Amino acid sequence: MDVFATALPALNDAFGMIMQVHVLGFLVLGVVMGLCIGVFPGLGGIAGLSLLLPFMFGMEPATGLALMVGMVAVVPTSDTFASVLMGIPGSSASQATVLDGFPMAKKGMAARALSAAFASSLFGGLVGAAFLTVFILAARPVVLLFQTPELLMITIFGLSMVGILAGRVALKGLIAACLGILVGTIGEGASSGALRMSTYDIPYIADGLRLVIVGLGIFAIPEIIALLRRDKAISDRAPIGGGWVDGVRDWWANKWLSMRCSLIGVVVGVIPGLGRSVVDWIAYGHTVQGARDKSEFGKGDVRGVIGPESSNNAKEGGGLVPTLLFGIPGSGSMAIFISAVALLGTGSIEVGPSMLKNNLDFTDAIVWLLALANVVGTVLCIAASGEIARLTQIRFALLAPFLFMIISFVAFQSRQEIWDLVALFGIGLLGILMRRFDWSRPAFLIGFVLSGPAERYTNQAYQIGASRFRRGFEDGIDYIFSPIVIVLIIITLLSVVVGLRQAKTIQAEGAVSSGSKRAPLVFMLAITGYVAVAYWNAVLIPDYARMDRVFPIFVVTVALIGRAFLLVQMMRAGETAPVFADREAQEADDNAYGLWATLAWFVSLLIASALFGFIIALAGFLALFIRYRAGKGWGHAVLYTVAGIAFICGMAWTLNRDFPPGLLQNFIDLPWPLT
């Protein structure tokens, strides 16, 4: 009864908090932004939240949560457009929808497929929100018992799940997670302030890399470059036609299938790192196995859309369980969500046990917002379907420069230095190579986000544990190996064993064919070189700051052991083995332009910004890109440029933001926005 006495008033307060006009307005704005982001294959919630991250500083918690939850909730719904209309998975969690959704679109039943998908997504989202409410009520008393050793084990559990279950080759996922952790440790150490992989000669690096840069570089840049290289519209499908009511009727006829798949999504979504990669395939497999007539699956069976889409949205509620209760991201987007919440208001809100204890009303507000966002998102997706279908038929070469413009502007808000754009390009290049060779980018990102908590809990557990051991051996053992810690150790070991057995069947970012041995091997050796340098750098940290070298040395050791086993696997495997995955060979026939020629446009914007300032460089970039890369006339180029500059200046003026200055601004005093 005490649980309900605390929880029910908090639920009521949370409902009153979000039912304010300005909060609902931000929720709708987040849904609209998520709808726009989700249309483009591969961008998803990670890129969307990365765009929002710089603007979360000091924002009122209720409005900030509404904006973020609105975006996160609708992306799994809106990425259905890419799967159905284009035959391209909108994200790794909507791959199975392509199998029957795209054939339905080719038969002229796109509207029926979309409406069935939206109804299923709405139902799955509401099931996920209901589950999250019940779980918070039931688990809150247990979570409040967690101390530093328990939080450390939860962090290790999250890392182990992400590293093992985020790719077909388990060792790649493990090394990618370690690489993300090492990148997260760049800068001053958490304990004594010793520099790691940085120097005060370059203050930007000494302060570490920001999440907004890493999120956009690892996910957004690679997908935009990949689409741009194809030099065609995202989709060549005909208009979506009618059949909206039929799709809703299909969902109602299969409502129990939708319920079962929603529960699958919730359960799988709870497991950090697993949900996004496999939830749709598990639901699709259940759908096929439970069907009496299996002859139409893969040819346009609406049940093949209802099952995966129900689980896809329900997993968001499940993914919030480890995020809200323990501060462990259940996915890449949740990793950014955790960091963004810490920026809201006065910065006193911290996702995890402290949030359940001190800010239960905000926790419950997230539940209400998740439910409302699913309803609003479904309505807007249906209303905007016709216009979105037309948007996907525009050549991507006409959209890419504006995406580059927005991403560059948002990245600059990280620290408002030109180095922000340099870091964005560097991390973007790493993301392109990781995507090419099928190294898990979600594992990298979550490793980056968890590097701080993992090191902090390790240092705290070590210091407190040492103090307890000085009192007595039994006192120290009781602190380190509490019953909860022992249970978490067992769960972590079981998850690693199960993950190793399942890794071969998991395709986190779709199927990738193999190419030659040379390129994947060179990339693996390059990663090994960075890890080796990180080890040498950590060893050189003086003894007075030894706590700052313990954590990176441990991570490097794990990475080097994984690398040794991976090298043996590469030496023994043939060229067609998954360990030699290479998208370049797979996509060679679809790519009209080379990688480096495409990247040269982004580099030119970076160099011109350093010389002349962002706005002047952007004007030249947009005009030249539309004229020569997109092949339009000068009239179109000028019109596009004026529209782009007006849009970005309007955004900057509204948000009271500046643009990156260049060398020119050091010699000439120019008015805003040229400053």
Side-chain angles (χ1 to χ4, degrees):
M1 294 302 295
D2 291 339
V3 173
F4 288 98
T6 304
L8 293 181
L11 274 171
N12 185 60
D13 292 342
F15 185 75
M17 182 192 304
I18 68 169
M19 294 306 293
Q20 302 177 67
V21 175
H22 71 284
V23 174
L24 294 176
F26 273 92
L27 177 69
V28 173
L29 176 61
V31 169
V32 172
M33 294 176 68
L35 176 61
C36 297
I37 292 291
V39 170
F40 297 100
L43 293 186
I46 296 176
L49 285 176
S50 296
L51 291 171
L52 292 180
L53 197 60
F55 310 114
M56 292 295 106
F57 286 99
M59 182 177 285
E60 182 187 347
T63 56
L65 289 173
L67 190 62
M68 290 189 291
V69 173
M71 173 174 285
V72 170
V74 79
V75 166
T77 303
S78 60
D79 65 12
T80 305
F81 286 111
S83 300
V84 173
L85 298 177
M86 313 172 199
I88 304 171
S91 68
S92 61
S94 62
Q95 298 168 21
T97 306
V98 175
L99 298 182
D100 287 287
F102 191 50
M104 289 182 69
K106 290 192 288 186
K107 293 178 181 179
M109 297 188 292
R112 181 179 176 183
L114 288 173
S115 61
F118 295 152
S120 304
S121 295
L122 172 60
F123 182 76
L126 295 177
V127 169
F131 173 84
L132 180 61
T133 304
V134 174
F135 205 94
I136 288 174
L137 290 174
R140 182 173 181 264
V142 178
V143 174
L144 294 181
L145 297 175
F146 277 46
Q147 301 181 60
T148 300
E150 288 82 3
L151 293 173
L152 175 60
M153 275 311 306
I154 283 288
T155 305
I156 294 173
F157 170 67
L159 287 171
S160 69
M161 293 297 296
V162 169
I164 296 299
L165 294 174
R168 292 182 300 168
V169 182
L171 290 172
K172 280 187 175 181
L174 178 63
I175 298 172
C178 290
L179 182 63
I181 295 173
L182 290 176
V183 173
T185 61
I186 291 176
E188 295 181 347
S191 179
S192 303
L195 288 181
R196 298 179 297 200
M197 296 298 291
S198 56
T199 172
Y200 286 123
D201 293 334
I202 307 178
Y204 185 90
I205 300 178
D207 199 27
L209 294 175
R210 299 293 173 85
L211 180 59
V212 61
I213 301 291
V214 176
L216 290 173
I218 285 291
F219 281 92
I221 296 295
E223 300 303 333
I224 292 174
I225 292 294
L227 289 170
L228 185 57
R229 292 180 62 191
R230 297 173 189 170
D231 196 36
K232 59 182 181 181
I234 301 176
S235 173
D236 57 359
R237 298 260 62 82
I240 58 179
W244 292 102
V245 176
D246 293 336
V248 176
R249 288 173 179 167
D250 289 330
W251 170 80
W252 180 252
N254 294 279
K255 55 184 175 296
W256 296 115
L257 169 65
S258 182
M259 171 64 78
R260 295 195 303 273
C261 290
S262 295
L263 293 177
I264 289 173
V266 164
V267 173
V268 176
V270 169
I271 304 174
L274 177 61
R276 187 175 181 83
S277 303
V278 300
V279 65
D280 58 328
W281 292 114
I282 295 175
Y284 189 80
H286 170 76
T287 302
V288 175
Q289 289 173 353
R292 293 181 179 179
D293 180 12
K294 302 178 175 62
S295 60
E296 290 301 312
F297 283 103
K299 302 176 184 178
D301 194 315
V302 72
R303 292 172 295 179
V305 174
I306 292 172
E309 288 299 315
S310 298
S311 65
N312 189 6
N313 266 49
K315 83 176 188 306
E316 296 300 325
L320 278 168
V321 169
T323 303
L324 295 181
L325 268 61
F326 306 112
I328 302 302
S331 64
S333 58
M334 289 299 101
I336 299 177
F337 180 81
I338 289 174
S339 298
V341 170
L343 303 177
L344 296 174
T346 60
S348 60
I349 303 176
E350 182 178 357
V351 175
S354 64
M355 188 173 181
L356 293 180
K357 181 179 181 180
N358 303 320
N359 303 104
L360 185 58
D361 52 345
F362 288 120
T363 307
D364 291 333
I366 293 174
V367 177
W368 286 113
L369 289 169
L370 183 63
L372 282 175
N374 275 282
V375 175
V376 175
T378 301
V379 172
L380 289 181
C381 281
I382 293 175
S385 293
E387 297 303 320
I388 290 175
R390 295 186 183 93
L391 178 65
T392 60
Q393 296 171 12
I394 300 174
R395 275 184 63 201
F396 194 74
L398 300 177
L399 300 175
F402 294 101
L403 293 176
F404 273 132
M405 173 184 72
I406 294 172
I407 288 173
S408 299
F409 171 70
V410 171
F412 176 71
Q413 305 313 313
S414 173
R415 297 185 202 170
Q416 297 198 343
E417 298 181 35
I418 194 65
W419 283 100
D420 288 324
L421 302 184
V422 176
L424 177 67
F425 174 76
I427 298 295
L429 182 59
L430 174 62
I432 290 170
L433 295 175
M434 292 183 73
R435 178 186 181 274
R436 171 179 172 176
F437 298 116
D438 198 29
W439 286 70
S440 175
R441 291 179 289 164
F444 176 92
L445 181 62
I446 296 180
F448 177 84
V449 170
L450 290 181
S451 61
E455 183 173 14
R456 182 171 64 253
Y457 294 143
T458 299
N459 291 340
Q460 291 175 356
Y462 173 82
Q463 294 169 357
I464 298 174
S467 175
R468 295 291 182 92
F469 273 110
R470 282 193 291 269
R471 297 183 194 173
F473 182 78
E474 291 186 1
D475 195 8
I477 290 295
D478 290 341
Y479 176 75
I480 297 296
F481 294 104
S482 68
I484 298 177
V485 169
I486 294 174
V487 171
L488 291 172
I489 290 175
I490 295 173
I491 293 175
T492 300
L493 293 175
L494 288 175
S495 72
V496 171
V497 172
V498 173
L500 287 171
R501 298 179 64 179
Q502 297 293 326
K504 293 182 180 179
T505 63
I506 296 174
Q507 299 180 358
E509 299 186 60
V512 183
S513 61
S514 301
S516 64
K517 286 188 174 184
R518 181 179 179 182
L521 184 60
V522 169
F523 182 65
M524 192 273 289
L525 292 176
I527 291 178
T528 303
Y530 177 83
V531 172
V533 172
Y535 176 80
W536 179 251
N537 178 264
V539 169
L540 295 178
I541 294 177
D543 289 339
Y544 69 83
R546 62 183 180 277
M547 291 303 298
D548 285 337
R549 71 185 179 198
V550 171
F551 183 72
I553 286 179
F554 173 77
V555 175
V556 165
T557 302
V558 174
L560 289 177
I561 292 174
R563 174 261 176 203
F565 281 105
L566 182 61
L567 182 60
V568 171
Q569 190 174 343
M570 284 182 160
M571 293 175 63
R572 297 176 60 183
E575 284 192 353
T576 58
V579 73
F580 292 113
D582 189 348
R583 278 183 206 271
E584 195 68 20
Q586 177 179 316
E587 300 175 350
D589 294 337
D590 295 330
N591 291 331
Y593 290 87
L595 171 63
W596 302 112
T598 305
L599 279 177
W601 285 99
F602 187 73
V603 175
S604 67
L605 175 61
L606 173 62
I607 296 174
S609 297
L611 294 176
F612 308 109
F614 183 71
I615 286 296
I616 297 176
L618 180 63
F621 169 77
L622 291 176
L624 294 175
F625 191 98
I626 297 300
R627 175 63 184 90
Y628 294 105
R629 181 64 171 77
K632 295 294 183 178
W634 280 113
H636 283 89
V638 172
L639 183 62
Y640 272 72
T641 301
V642 171
I645 297 296
F647 173 81
I648 202 69
C649 288
M651 179 184 293
W653 182 81
T654 302
L655 299 173
N656 193 25
R657 301 286 175 170
D658 291 322
F659 298 106
L663 290 176
L664 178 65
Q665 281 73 14
N666 292 333
F667 300 100
I668 303 177
D669 187 16
L670 298 173
W672 191 92
L674 303 179
T675 52

